Amino acid sequence: MLRHAIAPSARYTKASNDVVRHPRLNSDAKILLLYIQGLPGDAICKPLSELARKLGIKGRAYQKAKGQLVEHGYVHEWRSQSEGGRWLTEQLVVNNPLTSEQARLLLRETAPASAPTGPPPSTRFPTVGEPTPRAAGGYKPVEDHSDKTTPHPPSEPESATGPTPTPTPQTTTADPAQLTRAERVLLSLRHSRRELHLGVSEAHALAVEAVKWFERGLSESDLRHALLAERPQEGVRSAVGFLRHRLIQKLPEPPVQHQPHERPPLRELVECAGPGESHVFRPLFGESECPSCCRAAAPTEPEPIPWRERIAGINGTPTALPAEA
């Protein structure tokens, strides 16, 4: 394949290759994101659906494109209720994927000072977990220089608040194999829900609580389903706090230990009172003779009458024996 491209000198949008080459965004989602990125400042006050209609993206196509952008962190929405009871929807579109917590911090920093400030959407509901230190304040996108040949590598982005403290691993006596299973389940949650992304040290610290599920007879599939079920409407502010809360609060009861069935004690041996040589047996219901002597003393049943004799007796005719050949 040959390629000939002329870089425009004006009226162009600088797009990230992470967006253009994203394997899980369809063409509608990419075009909508790039279109919004190139809009002037006075045009971004319109809702996302109205901007999509100008591109001909409507109905199910729009819902699918928007769902992909929300899933991968390019679009964030919050609903809040004003003092008059009217519901408002705030939308944030970014060209670099952000978590829900990073998006809220960025919205607070970029909101105009004259705009009415209300409680953030997450404060209207109880938040699970412990508060975490600010990790994404002052977020600034880093330009991608992977397509350029430079003598020096690109500099790493500096955090405004310093490195995030690493949770201290808890000392435990759990089986190392069980801890490894628990860490594998916790680290795999990010593939189903992006907001539950954990670091290795965070997963190691939470594995102590997750092992208790295995000790109570649950499988890896049961643990994963319990941690992913019932997605909160307000989102997850802290993946560590949210998962720790679920691991502790939804821990099932320990299995009931059934007592083994106790066999009745054996009866003592007694001497049989029947005829014959002296011998002992173990009675079941207080009998004085063993089963063999009881069967020997029982009256013998008469031999059954042949069917020919029974028919002859009924008809009153003598029995005729068959002639020998």
Side-chain angles (χ1 to χ4, degrees), residues 104-212:
R104 290 192 187 95
L105 294 175
L106 183 61
L107 181 65
R108 295 172 189 173
E109 294 177 357
T110 57
S114 59
T117 58
S122 59
T123 59
R124 297 184 180 272
F125 304 92
T127 305
V128 297
E130 298 294 333
T132 56
R134 182 175 177 182
Y139 173 82
K140 296 181 180 179
V142 181
E143 295 187 3
D144 184 12
H145 299 279
S146 59
D147 293 342
K148 299 181 180 180
T149 303
T150 57
H152 302 286
S155 58
E156 295 292 335
E158 297 181 359
S159 175
T161 57
T164 304
T166 302
T168 304
Q170 303 177 4
T171 57
T172 177
T173 57
D175 185 7
Q178 296 286 64
L179 288 173
T180 303
R181 289 179 58 199
E183 291 180 19
R184 184 170 59 249
V185 173
L186 293 171
L187 291 174
S188 67
L189 298 178
R190 65 172 179 261
H191 300 299
S192 300
R193 286 173 55 182
R194 185 185 184 89
E195 54 190 359
L196 296 182
H197 187 283
L198 293 176
V200 176
S201 58
E202 294 174 336
H204 182 71
L206 292 176
V208 180
E209 298 295 337
V211 167
K212 298 178 182 179

